[in-house]
Amino acid sequence: MSQTVPAATDVADRSALSRHYLMCRPEHFTVVYRINPWMHPQVPTDTALALQQWQSLYDTYDRLGHTLELIDPIEGLPDMVYSANGGFTLDGKAYTAKFTHPERQAEGPAYGDWFRARGFEVHEAREINEGEGDLLLVGDAILAGTGFRTSIESHAELARVFDREVVTLKLVDDRFYHLDTAIAVLDPEGADANIAYLPEAFDGASRAVLQRRYPDAVEVSAEDAQWLGLNSISDGSNVVIAAKAKGFEASLRERGYTPIGLDLSELLRGGGGVKCCTLELRIAR
């Protein structure tokens, strides 16, 4: 499938917005269990390389002028580096994660304690959800994934906490088990909020919803998605992506964005990329 790009006359001027991110150093990163198709415990991991690659992401955000905070890593929680899964924040409220797999369940309370200590109004999840892995703010709506990890029941809970429209989307390819592996939020705010996505990661009804809501979206190829190219972070102008997602990179340039390709290949061994390592903090205004 080819990338969908606009005509040259459609290229827009892009303005970068300063963002606020929470990250976790991968000091204990390794792959010792298998809870997604990317994980192969029999293949040795290199924690030092994971730290080096993570640092390049941190330094990129710092160079772009974003505000960065850190949560302390906990020994025995090797996936804690994927901070996006730690919860969902909006309007000064934090909705905590409640993980599917026992291997990650201790992460939810750890992130909840961090939110509470930083003054967020914390709402403890009763339903299974994996934070911004499956919950993405696009404009005034929250796109909410289900199918592999986050339960559909959590979508109603989310709507009650934040009083926002929640749009349910069903994932059907287990390689793209979280919504943030199949959708990238390109323009997070305003009437022009837009996305990039992999159509075949969704069932037919969800594809129809995405086509209707985002007619100008970038459709990304499976070839780029397999590098977790869509697991990216945009400030509205600069888009940090997987370096190997070359087709997606070209599409972004066509649209007037500035793509920044990084190598997070060691962290990909755990099934995560740029976005997985990045939780957005949205303080009350």
Side-chain angles (χ1 to χ4, degrees), residues 59-76:
D59 291 345
T60 296
Y61 291 150
D62 186 53
R63 178 174 58 80
L64 292 173
H66 302 309
T67 300
L68 301 171
E69 298 201 48
L70 295 174
I71 184 172
D72 291 335
I74 298 174
E75 189 173 0

Side-chain angles (χ1 to χ4, degrees), residues 26-30 45-52 266:
E27 292 178 6
H28 307 296
F29 175 76
T30 187
T45 49
D46 185 336
T47 304
L49 179 57
L51 279 161
Q52 177 184 326
E266 197 63 21

